Amino acid sequence: MKLLTGLVFCSLVLGVSSQSWFSFLGEAYDGARDMWRAYSDMKEANYKNSDKYFHARGNYDAAQRGPGGAWAAEVISLFSAELR
C-alpha cells in the first residue's frame, strides 16, 4: 500500500509539473466525474460482463479532459484493480 501511495504521489507531481495546479485539479475532478458517470451507467444497464465496455468508456472520456483527467482515470483504475 505504501508503494502504491508513493507511485500515485509521484505521478501527481510529474503530471502537474507541466501545467498549473488549478487546471490540473480541475481536469482531474472532471475525469473522476466521467469515471463515476460510466460506473453509474454500468449499474443502470445491469448487463452481464459489460464492465469492460463501461470502464473503457470512462477511461476514454476522462483522458479526453487532458493530463489531469488521464491521471485521474489511471489512479481510479489502479485502485479499482487493487480492490478486486
Side-chain angles (χ1 to χ4, degrees):
M1 191 62 167
K2 289 181 183 180
L3 177 63
L4 183 62
T5 304
L7 289 174
V8 167
F9 180 72
C10 288
S11 68
L12 175 63
V13 169
L14 291 174
V16 174
S17 65
S18 63
Q19 60 182 353
S20 72
W21 279 91
F22 184 72
S23 66
F24 184 85
L25 292 177
E27 291 171 358
Y29 174 77
D30 290 338
R33 196 174 60 202
D34 289 334
M35 294 289 286
W36 180 257
R37 186 173 56 241
Y39 175 76
S40 298
D41 291 347
M42 179 185 70
K43 291 297 181 184
E44 183 180 327
N46 198 24
Y47 287 120
K48 204 173 205 182
N49 298 325
S50 66
D51 58 331
K52 287 183 174 62
Y53 165 75
F54 287 104
H55 188 78
R57 193 192 80 188
N59 280 339
Y60 175 79
D61 291 343
Q64 293 301 307
R65 300 279 183 184
W71 176 82
E74 182 178 341
V75 169
I76 291 170
S77 295
L78 283 174
F79 280 124
S80 67
E82 187 175 293
L83 293 175
R84 286 187 218 161

